[in-house]
Every structure is written in C-alpha cells, then in structure tokens.
Amino acid sequence: MTPKTETMVGIGGAAESTDMVLNIGPQHPSTHGVLRLKLVLDGERITSAEPVIGYMHRGAEKLFEARDYRQIIVLANRHDWLSAFSNELGVVLAVERMLGMEVPPRAVWLRTLLAELNRVLNHLMFLGSYPLELGGITPVFYAFREREVLQNVMEEVSGGRMHYMFNRVGGLKEDLPAGWATRARGAVAAVRSRMDVFDDLVLGNEIFRGRTRGVGTLAPEAVHAYGVSGPIARASGVDFDLRRDEPYLAYGELQDTLKVVTRTEGDCLARFECLLEQTHNALDLADACLDRLAGLPPGPVNQRLPKVLKAPEGHTYAWTENPLGINGYYLVSKGEKTPYRLKLRSASYNNIQALAELLPGTLVADMVAILGSLFFVVGDIDK
C-alpha cells in the first residue's frame, strides 16, 4: 500500500474578502482645493467613504472677529472663489439688517443683476469641468469661451476678474460705467445663443448619459438629513429656492421670470440637468434686471457711512441662494466696530457630507462621476 502524502498550501488572504483602504487625495495645495476621501474597498466596490476636510487652514470665521465691517467683505468674498459676488452679498445683507439700513433701489437691482451673472459664471465652470472629469475634453473649451465674455463685463464694472469686491455696506462701490448696460446685454445674448452646445454636445452624448444615468442617486431623505441645498437638492426633488420662498434683493418682483428647476431622479445626470437649466434661467433673470434698470431714474447706488461703522448690540442671520446652494451668515455684535462672532454656513460644507451616503455600494469607476456631480469648491468647505 502506497503511503499518502498531504500537502498544505498557504493562500493568505485570498480565502476571504479583504478590505483595502484607499486615499483619494489630498493633492498639493497649489491644485484646485485640497480634499481627501478615505475609501474602504471590497474589490472594486466601495463599502464606506469618509470625507476628510480641513487641509486648507483658512480660519476665515476667526479672522472675521479681527476685522471691521468694511474689511470682512474681502474675507467673505473668497471662500467660494467661483461665486465671489454672491459671497459678498450675504455679509453686507447681515450688517445692513443689524443697522436697519435701507439700500437705494438702483443698488438693489444692480446687485440682483450681478448676482445672476455670477451664477452663470459659476455654473459654466462646472458645465465644462464635469464632462472633462468623465473624459470629454471639448465642453470645457466652450465653457471658458462663454466665461470670458461674461468676465469681461464683470471686470469692467468692478475691476476684478474673480474677486470683485464691489459690494459695500449700504449698496455698491460705484455706479455703472457709461454704456455698460448695453455691453452687458450683448454679452448675455451672446452666451445664450451658444448654450445649445451643452444641450447637444454633453446631454446628447450617449457615453455621458451612460456614465451618469442612475449613478449616485441621492434620496430626498438624505438631502434633508445632511442639509444639502442648491441644484443638488433640487435634482432629488426637494423644491426649495430662497429666491422664491424667502425673496431678498429684487427677487420678489422677478417671480414671473424666476424658474426653480427640479428633477426627481436624484442621480448624476439629474444634477447636471438642473445646473444647465438653471443657467438658462439665470440669463433670463439678468435680462429682466437690465430691463428694469433701464426704466429706473438716475440715483445713488450706496448710502453715506460714518467714518467708524459700528453695528448695534444684537444678533441676526442673513441667508442667500448662492450658485452652489444656501449660504448663511450668523452675525453677533457687541456694539463694536468688529463682529463679536460671524458664523458662516456654506453650501459645499453640507453638500460634501452626502458623499458618506452616496459612495458606499458603488464602484470605484463611478466615484469620479459622483464626486464631480456634487459641484463643490473646497474653499467653501474649509471655512
């Protein structure tokens, strides 16, 4: 009888599933923001995701306490560097509310116009960069062409290409240059005439639709739980827009033009569609503001302020519908020339937390599509 020989072969961890921790980022500080995603993978599938923030060390909320009410505008301007004008609005509205100050009508309509032009600039960046992240390079060139047209008129009126610093407590820095309204109307018309590029080139692309339809579905319950707002929330069927539901500036008189764009699918494709359709509507709102400004009599665009501006003791909260979502400022004053406390509620901070809900169960290949569809700016997270 031949003796039997048994051989034991070690197969290590292959006998059972092995989780792998994968770090997406952080990138070098000179890149477009610094975000780290800590993913746990089972093969190609994500089992858990944790956004790790704070790499930019901005500390703007603490710096607010050491600047007077004129100087804090420059800090508020920069957290979402694609929405600088809209960022300025929140802080000046909060200070004006504390002071009980009424802004001249001409300044109100100008602020509304410039806020909508800034909304288009913000959205165009994502309309071009999102397809780029999925492998389509062409749309970003068209997006930057349209951005240049609008940036030219924004630069002419304010002197800045990204950080406008045009808002002031009590109104705006100065009135419009001669002939600016005509040039702005021409810029809006030029951009509108070429927006079909994104309808046809991007939404009409079957590869783009295949990468985004049904991917990264965010339920309305998660939207409410995480405080998600803006186009991302409305793409999940949460029909809320401060411009309609709690009007500020001149939006109360623009309800016939304002269209709150919603979808019910809540996936990457729905978020892109909301962003695109909202861009079309922002151009319509800009035209409506230009029409109203043409009918206004000449007048001041700001209020005269004392040499030392002090807000009375108390607290207030002002919020606006920024391009990326709800932006709020909670201002506490002790009657001094600097805020005692100024807390910023930024859209991207809440929106990015939804990644912990969106990514588990999806494939690594879909992670880029989901991440890009949240349309965030890292400076808006690390505030």
Side-chain angles (χ1 to χ4, degrees), residues 39 62 66 120 129 183 189 200-201 274 327 379:
L39 307 179
K62 192 63 181 173
V120 177
S129 67
R183 291 187 289 277
D200 301 335
L201 189 65
C274 277
N327 197 69

Side-chain angles (χ1 to χ4, degrees), residues 88 95 97 99 101 124 159 190 230 245 275 304 312 320:
E88 298 169 14
V95 178
R97 186 173 297 175
L99 293 168
M101 181 180 290
L124 280 170
D245 301 322
L275 200 74
R304 289 183 64 87
T320 57

Side-chain angles (χ1 to χ4, degrees), residues 72-366:
I72 59 175
I73 300 172
V74 73
L75 295 172
N77 172 290
R78 281 160 164 72
H79 57 89
D80 173 2
W81 45 74
L82 295 177
S83 311
F85 187 87
S86 302
N87 298 339
E88 298 169 14
L89 269 178
V91 68
V92 296
L93 289 174
V95 178
E96 287 162 3
R97 186 173 297 175
M98 288 286 285
L99 293 168
M101 181 180 290
E102 190 168 335
V103 177
R106 185 170 174 80
V108 171
W109 281 97
L110 273 173
R111 280 177 171 180
T112 311
L113 166 63
L114 295 172
E116 290 306 311
L117 292 178
N118 195 194
R119 192 181 308 276
V120 177
L121 280 167
N122 174 288
H123 290 356
L124 280 170
M125 176 63 81
F126 291 107
L127 291 174
S129 67
Y130 186 45
L132 179 64
E133 290 162 2
L134 298 180
I137 192 172
T138 307
V140 75
F141 295 117
Y142 289 106
F144 268 84
R145 179 185 66 181
E146 311 313 330
R147 277 175 55 85
E148 283 297 313
V149 173
L150 292 176
Q151 276 187 308
N152 286 340
V153 296
M154 292 292 282
E155 183 179 13
E156 182 186 359
V157 74
S158 68
R161 288 185 66 77
M162 284 185 66
H163 301 298
Y164 306 109
M165 280 303 297
F166 198 54
N167 278 287
R168 295 292 186 272
V169 176
L172 295 170
K173 177 185 174 185
E174 56 196 7
D175 209 341
L176 302 176
W180 182 88
T182 302
R183 291 187 289 277
R185 193 182 293 276
V188 169
V191 172
R192 181 188 286 109
S193 69
R194 298 192 289 256
M195 283 298 293
D196 59 345
V197 166
F198 299 99
D199 294 294
D200 301 335
L201 189 65
V202 182
L203 285 181
N205 187 294
E206 61 183 45
I207 299 174
F208 178 83
R209 299 183 75 87
R211 289 289 308 275
T212 55
R213 186 193 287 114
V215 175
T217 303
L218 184 64
E221 295 78 16
V223 169
H224 293 300
Y226 287 94
V228 174
S229 59
I232 303 169
R234 292 191 284 272
S236 295
V238 178
D239 189 5
F240 182 71
D241 190 313
L242 284 173
R243 296 174 298 170
R244 178 198 63 194
D245 301 322
E246 195 174 311
Y248 59 98
L249 295 182
Y251 289 112
E253 300 181 48
L254 291 170
Q255 297 301 305
D256 292 340
T257 308
L258 176 64
K259 178 183 178 184
V260 180
V261 183
T262 60
R263 294 289 187 275
T264 56
E265 296 83 359
D267 56 9
C268 296
L269 181 60
R271 291 190 277 274
F272 186 86
E273 287 176 342
C274 277
L275 200 74
L276 178 56
E277 200 168 333
Q278 192 169 282
T279 308
H280 285 285
N281 185 239
L283 292 168
D284 294 338
L285 288 167
D287 264 341
C289 290
L290 285 164
D291 290 340
R292 182 58 184 268
L293 279 166
L296 286 178
V301 294
N302 49 40
Q303 297 276 25
R304 289 183 64 87
L305 299 177
K307 188 173 182 180
V308 177
L309 181 63
K310 294 183 179 182
E313 189 169 348
H315 61 92
T316 190
Y317 183 73
W319 57 348
T320 57
E321 187 69 39
N322 262 37
L324 299 181
I326 293 174
N327 197 69
Y329 290 91
Y330 178 61
L331 172 62
V332 182
S333 172
K334 293 288 187 180
E336 301 297 330
K337 66 178 182 179
T338 62
Y340 176 73
R341 187 78 175 92
L342 185 52
K343 170 67 178 173
L344 169 61
R345 189 266 189 221
S346 61
S348 298
Y349 180 81
N350 286 73
N351 292 355
I352 203 67
Q353 308 307 319
L355 284 169
E357 182 94 12
L358 278 175
L359 290 179
T362 63
L363 296 171
V364 176
D366 291 329

